[in-house]
Amino acid sequence: MNVDLITRDDLDKFKKELLEEIRRYQQYPRKQGQEARVWLKSYEVRKLLNISAGTLQNLRINGTLPYNKIGGLMYYRYEDIQKLMDGVNNIK
């Protein structure tokens, strides 16, 4: 039976390598000043547009802002939000 001991240094090294790998493949960074992601959650849209939850619901209901619902979460395409802000009438 072959037994390998894992030390704290081994775990720290693994953690650093794993985080570097994740960052390398992360397609849409979340930090301010960097490229926007493709899909945003409701709270992110409200914060971006500086609107209330009710206003966002009205935009969904009247079809002004398309969305996708997955589970209990609503997702909005960043491109659609930009079109809304630019005043484009036909978003769909």
Side-chain angles (χ1 to χ4, degrees):
M1 178 171 18
N2 188 10
V3 177
D4 291 328
L5 293 176
I6 300 175
T7 65
R8 178 167 269 157
D9 290 335
D10 292 334
L11 290 174
D12 284 339
K13 182 180 176 186
F14 174 72
K15 180 177 86 171
K16 288 176 186 177
E17 289 174 359
L18 182 61
L19 287 173
E20 287 174 11
E21 188 82 13
I22 291 170
R23 287 185 186 119
R24 187 170 7 149
Y25 290 106
Q26 185 178 12
Q27 207 170 19
Y28 303 105
R30 294 180 180 215
K31 292 185 180 178
Q32 210 170 22
Q34 292 182 342
E35 181 181 332
R37 295 176 318 175
V38 175
W39 294 96
L40 300 174
K41 293 180 182 176
S42 292
Y43 78 92
E44 294 169 316
V45 174
R46 290 196 324 261
K47 187 175 179 180
L48 181 66
L49 298 177
N50 195 24
I51 59 174
S52 68
T55 301
L56 183 58
Q57 181 178 3
N58 286 334
L59 292 174
R60 283 194 312 265
I61 290 171
N62 65 25
T64 304
L65 187 59
Y67 66 96
N68 285 324
K69 184 174 182 179
I70 301 174
L73 297 175
M74 311 283 189
Y75 291 93
Y76 307 83
R77 286 184 14 189
Y78 186 77
E79 178 182 316
D80 291 338
I81 296 166
Q82 284 181 318
K83 288 179 183 177
L84 177 69
M85 292 172 62
D86 291 338
V88 175
N89 291 332
N90 191 5
I91 295 178
K92 296 176 186 177

